[in-house]
Amino acid sequence: MADDWMLRQLPPAMLDDDFFVRFLSIFQTQASTLLAHAENLGHLADPGVTPPSMARWLGTWIGLDGVDAGLPEQLQRDLVRTAARSLPWRGTRRGLVALLEVLSGGPVEAREGGGAFPEGGAGADPGWGVMTVTSTGALGDADFAARVVDELPAHVRAELWVAGRQVPLTGSVPWDESAGRPIGVA
């Protein structure tokens, strides 16, 4: 055997029994495998070095479902890393901007009407947002828009502008301009 580390821990008299040595070697082989993997354990949760499939799976832990395996590997890793770092700000302007910067590969302009208001001080329309990017990066318009909708709070109506054109956000809250409220709300 190449490395008899487990056997070397036994008293020499026990090594005289051939059956016992062979029997213990089975456990040594299993333990050696576990020890080899234990050294890599800390790296398995690092999106920068873990295998791409593991990085995508890690994304599901934090609500980043469906990272496309067809995206460039570095983008997959950056998405998971950014989503993890911005998780405390998910649903806020800061969290959305961080994720969209990675997806678009460029600057993001985000305007919104949210905030913390005293009771009755929010005004008629606090739940809106407008995001402007120059590109959708490696994603198509529909996939990029779906990511935006996934990150928006449920009550927020939003607009997405890509290179000067509006991209529809399916699933965003529809708004009745004339009534000044979401459609379907009395």
Side-chain angles (χ1 to χ4, degrees), residues 130-146:
V130 178
M131 284 72 58
T132 306
V133 296
T134 56
S135 164
T136 60
L139 299 177
D141 284 357
D143 289 336
F144 191 87

Side-chain angles (χ1 to χ4, degrees), residues 44-65:
L44 286 176
D46 180 353
V49 295
T50 195
S53 59
M54 180 70 169
R56 290 189 300 275
W57 184 67
L58 287 172
T60 65
W61 290 9
I62 55 175
L64 188 64
D65 296 324

Side-chain angles (χ1 to χ4, degrees), residues 100-166:
L100 295 184
E101 284 176 345
V102 171
L103 286 171
S104 70
V108 175
E109 179 189 333
R111 296 178 293 129
E112 47 100 14
F117 304 99
E119 186 174 344
D125 186 16
W128 61 270
V130 178
M131 284 72 58
T132 306
V133 296
T134 56
S135 164
T136 60
L139 299 177
D141 284 357
D143 289 336
F144 191 87
R147 286 278 178 224
V148 170
V149 171
D150 283 347
E151 296 300 312
L152 289 173
H155 71 285
V156 171
R157 69 181 173 90
E159 294 178 2
L160 174 62
W161 293 83
V162 178
R165 61 186 169 74
Q166 187 172 6

Side-chain angles (χ1 to χ4, degrees), residues 20 26 39 41 76 100 112 118 139 145 154:
F20 182 73
I26 295 169
E39 293 173 2
L41 199 55
Q76 294 177 45
L100 295 184
E112 47 100 14
L139 299 177

